[in-house]
Amino acid sequence: MSRRGSVGCDAVRPAIPPRRRSGVRAPHVSGPATGHTERRKLNKFEHLGINPRIAKNLAAIGLTEPTPIQAQGIPEIVAGRDLLGLAQTGTGKTAAFGLPIVTRLLTIGQRPAPKSCRALILAPTRELATQITDNITKFAEGTPIRTFRVVGGASLNTQAERLSRGVDILVATPGRLIDLLDRKAVTLNEVLCLVLDEADQMLDIGFIHALRQIARLLPHRRQTLLFSATMPKLMEELAHTYLKDPVRVQVSPPGKAADKIDQGVHFVNQGEKAKLLADYVRKHPGELALVFNRTKHGSEKLMKLLDSWGFSAGAIHGNKSQGQRERALAAFRAGEIEVLVATDVAARGIDIPEVRHVYNYDLPNVPDNYVHRIGRTARAGRDGRAVAFCAPDEVADLREIEKTMKAQIPVIGGEPPVELGPIAKRGPRPGQRPANSGQKPGGPKQHGNPHGAEAKKRPAHRPSRRPRREQAA
């Protein structure tokens, strides 16, 4: 697919200080005790090229020190480069692309056209789209930049009506965006910047065809940013297709979990997992726990079981409406419920620093999903704990996870199963004659021929299997 060159540096430049009148000095602040004056010290994010109006909002929301992905990625994005960012979940990727995008849009100085947007951010789930929208809204507080979110589960008519006035930043799930494009409620011909967040997850849940459909409607001259926690082969193909001469920012090896997560595996039979989970939760009263289940039905069933045992529990999965999901997340964030049971897709985008424990009730079939799951804890520099419950039939999944992470998960409970070696190394079954029975130590049986194994040759013509009478006839 043809692509354009990345947006030039002149399109994205650091904010220019106000023009000074002749003979008037730039603003100064008084020194602490000497009465001397000194120039205002730049915020650490301003040093990266972020607009001072935006940098001023960051301290109020707890952003004072750039994380590694922000420190390395923001200057490249401000300079107009396409970027491939590889970092674990919870490392500040939203600010890494959100801050420079808002900085750039502030330099335009005019409102977007009706039914258009200037920056498009695609996310795999409703929850992640909501999280991104909330964060960027906080970054841009006090500025004319407006962010709007479109996801499934909400009214198409309401979303179309809002888009009719145009928005600066549109955050969307691919499916709902295509619905709006089909209705001609939005156009993408004025998009200056495209962001694919959690791109590996978008590929996992089958959004590759939707991405291709959306990409055909975008301008060739645009800046494209791709962020992911893992780097499967299909991700490399995606980056090659949509990024032009990108800079690669990698703050940790793909598939590696955050260092502050204390991991462990507890071997247990499948039927005993619920009681084991209850035991773990009781040991940590008042601490938020996120429990991952493989299926929607299983998540709902487990939530109801925990609720019947007296735990304050909730669930989010694909069978829940958008309103139910948002209410469950709000209650979990406020501490009104302490245990939230979720599926992989529904839990993407949960950014709640207070989550102290992640329990893998069922191990994921896709090893990379394990990294995403446990990344829901130990966020914003905090510590966290992740426990995997491994049933006998899940041992192969566990080994694949360890292979992907290039690390062994410590055993913290249960009896590790005896793992059998390859079939070729196993002995004969009871009553079965060994394969090399009757064979001499020197090698294959020679049958009196000095040429060994090559002695007997198949006949050139295979004899007929027909009865002799038929052959005679």
Side-chain angles (χ1 to χ4, degrees):
M1 182 174 180
S2 62
R3 278 278 286 111
R4 50 88 193 127
S6 31
V7 177
C9 297
D10 57 340
V12 183
R13 55 182 180 272
I16 303 174
R19 296 180 60 183
R20 293 177 293 168
R21 297 180 180 177
S22 178
V24 180
R25 294 187 176 183
H28 287 66
V29 295
S30 298
T34 61
H36 295 293
T37 59
E38 58 179 14
R39 294 186 182 275
R40 182 180 69 85
K41 291 184 178 180
L42 292 178
N43 179 288
K44 291 184 178 180
F45 284 94
E46 290 180 67
H47 278 294
L48 301 178
I50 299 303
N51 187 293
R53 295 172 66 184
I54 304 168
K56 188 177 179 182
N57 294 331
L58 302 182
I61 58 177
L63 290 180
T64 55
E65 290 281 341
T67 64
I69 187 68
Q70 294 163 5
Q72 297 177 43
I74 288 177
E76 301 291 350
I77 299 173
V78 167
R81 297 287 303 276
D82 281 11
L83 182 136
L84 171 61
L86 297 173
Q88 306 140 346
T89 56
T91 53
K93 293 194 291 266
T94 302
F97 62 77
L99 294 175
I101 287 176
V102 177
T103 291
R104 176 181 185 179
L105 296 183
L106 281 175
T107 66
I108 296 178
Q110 60 183 9
R111 299 182 63 180
K115 296 186 177 182
S116 73
C117 63
R118 287 174 174 151
L120 175 63
I121 302 172
L122 295 178
T125 66
R126 306 170 190 178
E127 285 71 28
L128 181 56
T130 301
Q131 191 69 51
I132 293 170
T133 304
D134 292 343
N135 284 335
I136 294 181
T137 300
K138 293 175 183 176
F139 300 158
E141 186 176 356
T143 73
I145 302 301
R146 295 294 175 260
T147 306
F148 186 59
R149 177 204 68 170
V150 292
V151 297
S155 169
L156 263 171
N157 292 330
T158 301
Q159 293 174 350
E161 192 278 329
R162 174 63 185 87
L163 288 171
S164 67
R165 303 191 295 274
V167 296
D168 295 288
I169 301 173
L170 179 62
V171 185
T173 52
R176 178 45 58 99
L177 179 59
I178 288 176
D179 292 339
L180 291 163
L181 289 168
D182 290 342
R183 293 181 120 200
K184 298 185 174 9
V186 62
T187 60
L188 304 180
N189 54 1
E190 292 191 13
V191 171
L192 301 174
C193 183
L194 169 68
V195 180
L196 303 179
D197 194 18
E198 303 283 14
D200 52 347
Q201 181 71 357
M202 275 195 270
L203 299 181
D204 287 344
I205 58 182
F207 277 140
I208 182 63
H209 299 296
L211 292 178
R212 289 170 179 162
Q213 184 177 345
I214 293 168
R216 286 195 292 266
L217 304 174
L218 293 166
H220 291 295
R221 290 187 58 81
R222 67 174 188 270
Q223 184 179 27
T224 304
L225 314 174
L226 191 153
F227 288 86
S228 177
T230 60
M231 194 65 182
K233 184 178 180 181
L234 192 55
M235 270 287 301
E236 296 178 2
E237 297 174 4
L238 189 72
H240 179 73
T241 302
Y242 296 113
L243 301 181
K244 176 67 175 179
D245 188 27
V247 58
R248 180 177 174 132
V249 175
Q250 181 175 317
V251 298
S252 64
K256 185 178 182 297
D259 296 329
K260 292 191 175 184
I261 302 177
D262 180 20
Q263 300 180 62
V265 58
H266 194 128
F267 292 99
V268 59
N269 292 326
Q270 186 68 31
E272 300 172 0
K273 285 185 176 182
K275 291 183 179 179
L276 180 63
L277 174 62
D279 291 340
Y280 271 102
V281 174
R282 287 193 189 99
K283 292 177 183 177
H284 305 281
E287 298 181 0
L288 299 187
L290 183 59
V291 181
F292 281 95
N293 197 290
R294 193 175 291 173
T295 66
K296 295 178 284 188
H297 175 72
S299 298
E300 188 71 14
K301 183 178 178 181
L302 179 60
M303 181 274 290
K304 291 180 179 178
L305 182 60
L306 292 172
D307 187 69
S308 68
W309 287 348
F311 295 99
S312 55
I316 57 171
H317 49 74
N319 286 345
K320 298 282 190 181
S321 69
Q322 183 63 22
Q324 288 173 321
R325 286 180 172 191
E326 292 179 354
R327 286 191 293 273
L329 280 175
F332 188 53
R333 186 176 284 106
E336 296 171 8
I337 59 176
E338 296 180 356
V339 182
L340 185 66
V341 187
T343 54
D344 285 301
V345 173
R348 271 300 177 95
I350 295 180
D351 185 10
I352 303 176
E354 291 78 17
V355 174
R356 291 294 305 277
H357 306 275
V358 169
Y359 296 105
N360 282 283
Y361 190 86
D362 295 322
L363 290 183
N365 300 106
V366 181
D368 288 335
N369 283 351
Y370 175 84
V371 178
H372 291 296
R373 287 182 176 190
I374 67 176
R376 300 303 110 194
T377 188
R379 300 178 76 84
R382 305 191 185 194
D383 296 328
R385 190 183 191 204
V387 179
F389 296 166
C390 183
D393 62 347
E394 294 178 306
V395 174
D397 293 328
L398 175 65
R399 299 305 175 221
E400 285 298 318
I401 290 169
E402 293 177 327
K403 181 180 178 181
T404 299
M405 296 176 61
K406 296 181 175 60
Q408 190 171 1
I409 302 174
V411 178
I412 60 174
E415 189 68 27
V418 177
E419 298 181 54
L420 300 176
I423 295 176
K425 295 183 180 179
R426 297 177 185 171
R429 288 177 290 184
Q432 182 182 11
R433 188 178 181 183
N436 62 347
S437 174
Q439 183 173 304
K440 293 182 180 180
K445 195 172 182 178
Q446 304 298 317
H447 299 287
N449 192 315
H451 299 290
E454 298 181 1
K456 285 193 175 182
K457 294 184 179 180
R458 296 184 63 184
H461 176 70
R462 189 171 183 176
S464 174
R465 294 183 179 178
R466 290 183 299 168
R468 290 185 179 180
R469 287 183 181 179
E470 294 182 17
Q471 293 182 40

